[in-house]
Amino acid sequence: MSDVKITIIDREGEAHTVDAPTDMNMNLMEVIRSYELAQEGTIGICGGMAMCASCQCYILNFEHMLPEKSFEEEDMLDQAFFVEDNSRLSCQIPITEGLDGLEVRIAPASE
Amino acid sequence: MIKTDILIIGAGPTGLFAVFEAGLLKLKCHLIDALPQPGGQCSEIYPKKPIYDIPGFPEVLAGDLVDNLMEQIKPFEPGFTLGERAETIDKQEDGSFIVTTSKGTKHHAPVVVIAGGLGSFEPRKPPIPSIKNYEDKGVAYIIRDPEVYRDKKVVIAGGGDSALDWSIFLADVASEVSLVHRRKDFRGALDSVEKVEELSKIGKINLITDAEVVDLKGEGELDSVLIRHKDEARGEELKETDYFIPLFGLSPKLGPIANWGLEIEKNAIKVDNSYDYQTNIPGIYAIGDVNTYKGKLKLILCGFHEAAIMCQSVYQRINPDKKYVMKYTTVSGVSGFDGSKKEAKKEVVKSIN
Ligand SMILES: Cc1cc2nc3c(=O)[nH]c(=O)nc-3n(C[C@H](O)[C@H](O)[C@H](O)COP(=O)(O)OP(=O)(O)OC[C@H]3O[C@@H](n4cnc5c(N)ncnc54)[C@H](O)[C@@H]3O)c2cc1C
Ligand code: FES
C-alpha cells in the first residue's frame, strides 16, 4: 500500500503537502491532527462522528473522487458556520489512493 | 458556603468515578458542572452511542455508562452544583481553596480536582462580526425566562431540536416568531418538524428557509436583522425584531480555568503524571481529558486510572500522618457514607485465603 500526497492549507493560510497512508484506516481529519496542522482542541472534537463540524474543510480540487455526503454529514454542515458549496467534514473522508493530489483548506474555527 | 474534602470541577465520567475512589478513602466530594446534568461529553454529545472500550463492557451506551457511574457512587453521597460554571479560584492562607461559580455559589475545599474535559459547554456563536455588540441587548444564546419575549418580535436561527422547540413554544408567547434556517430540511424530532410546519401554515411561525442572518442593526439595542437568501434573486432583507436568538448547539471551551495560573499546553493543563496528576499549583489536580502529559490518551479508561492515582495522593495530602495501604474492594468491601455496606460473602473470602 502506498501513501498519497495531500495538500492542506492551515488556518493561517500556509500550505503543507503531507504524505497520508492509505493502509491505516485514517480519515482526513486524523491526518490533519497527526501532522498537527490545527491547534489541539479546535479540530476533531467529536472524534470523527460527524457531530461537531470542527473538522470542516473546503475541497479545492478533485471533488469527484470523494464519497457522497451522508445524511449525518449534510445535517451537521447545516448547523455549522462558514459553510460553502465545497465544504466537507474531513472526518468523513477516508484516505484512499484516489485522493492523491487532493488540495483542501481548513475552515476557520468557530467561536 | 459548600464545604467538602475534594471539590471536583466537571461531572463527566472522570469526575464521577473520582467520587468512588475518594469514597473508598473516606473522602467526601462535591462536583460542579456547567451542564444541567452529569455525564460530560457522554451525556451531552453521544448518550445513545455505544462505547466498545470500557473494560468488562463489550458494548455500553454512553448514557447507560453514566447511569451506572451515578449508581456506583450513590453510597458516597456526592453533592452537585449543576448548571453553574466554575469561574474563579481563591487560595486561602491555610492552603485551601474557594471556588466561585457563575451564579456566585461558593465552595470551600482543601483540594480542587479539575476534571473539566474539553471545557465547559458554551453556546456556539454564529460568526456575525457585530453580534458581540448586541449580547444582552437583544441577542441571547440561551432562553432562560420565556416571559421576557411576551408580545415581542423574535427571530430564531438554527435547524436543530432547540431551534424547533423554542419556535413552537414562543409561537404562543411572542407577538411574532421567525425561524431562519440555512436549508429547507430540519434535523430534529419528526413531531417538532411537523408542528413547526403546521404553525407556519397558520401564520404563527414565519419560516424563512434557505437563508441566513448575516448582520445585526440598531443603535445600542438591536432593532433589526439582515437576512441573506441563498436565492440571489431574493437577495437580502432587513427584518425588524426585538430579539435575535441563534440556537446552534453547544461547543466545549476551556473557559475561565485557562486564567487560573495553571500551566497550559495545547489547550490542556500540564500535570505531573509520573506521580499524581498534580498541576503546577500544589493542591490543584487535573485528571481526564483536561490534562496533558507525555503520552496522554484522551480515553475514559485513562480518566478512571488517573482518578484512582490522584485520590491516593490527595489522601496523603489531607492526612499527612496516616499511612494508607491500598485495599481491594473484593476484600474490604465498600462502606458508603449513607451507612450502606457491600462486601463479599464470608465463605468466598475464606476460600480465597
Ligand atoms: C463522539 C465521541 C465519542 C467518544 N467515544 C469514546 C470511546 O469510544 N471510548 C472512550 O474511552 N472515549 C470516547 N470518547 C472520549 C470520552 O468521551 C472522553 O474521554 C471523556 O468524556 C472524558 O471524560 P472527562 O470526565 O475527563 O471529561 P468530559 O466528559 O468532557 O466532562 C467534563 C465536564 O466538565 C465540565 N466543565 C468544564 N469546565 C467547567 C467549568 N469551568 N465549570 C463547570 N463545569 C466545567 C463540562 O461541562 C463537562 O461536563 C468519545 C468522545 C466523543 C465526543
Ligand atoms: S470531527 Fe467532529 S464532525 Fe468531524
Side-chain angles (χ1 to χ4, degrees), chain A residues 46 49, chain B residues 10 12-14 33-34 40-41 46 51 53 86 116-117 119-120 289 299-300:
Chain A
C46 77
M49 298 179 78
Chain B
T14 306
D33 206 298
Q41 296 170 46
Y46 61 112
I51 307 177
D53 59 348
S120 65
D289 274 15
L299 287 177
I300 295 169

Side-chain angles (χ1 to χ4, degrees), chain B residues 333-347:
Chain B
V334 175
S335 304
F337 298 149
D338 56 357
S340 66
K341 186 151 176 71
K342 277 196 217 166
E343 57 189 339
K345 282 191 191 127
K346 285 287 176 286
E347 55 275 23

Side-chain angles (χ1 to χ4, degrees), chain B residues 43 66 70 87 104 111 123 125 145 167 173 205 240 247 264 266 277 285 299 309 334 347 352:
Chain B
S43 304
V66 172
M70 289 297 283
E87 210 75 24
V111 166
K125 301 181 181 179
D145 174 13
S167 298
V173 177
I205 292 180
E240 257 182 48
L247 297 171
I264 309 261
K266 291 186 186 166
Y277 305 102
Y285 295 74
L299 287 177
I309 307 264
V334 175
E347 55 275 23
I352 291 172

Side-chain angles (χ1 to χ4, degrees), chain B residues 281-293:
Chain B
I281 303 180
I284 305 185
Y285 295 74
I287 55 173
D289 274 15
V290 80
N291 77 13
T292 185
Y293 50 83

Side-chain angles (χ1 to χ4, degrees), chain B residues 10 42 83 92 94 102 114 126 170 176 180 185 209 217 220 227 230 236 250 307-308 315 322 325-326 341:
Chain B
C42 292
Q92 307 300 293
D94 63 355
S102 43
I114 302 171
L170 291 181
E176 185 187 307
V180 183
D185 298 331
T209 55
K217 309 236 183 256
I227 297 172
K230 237 187 223 162
E236 295 182 339
L250 302 174
Y315 181 85
K322 287 191 200 161
V325 182
M326 212 271 304
K341 186 151 176 71

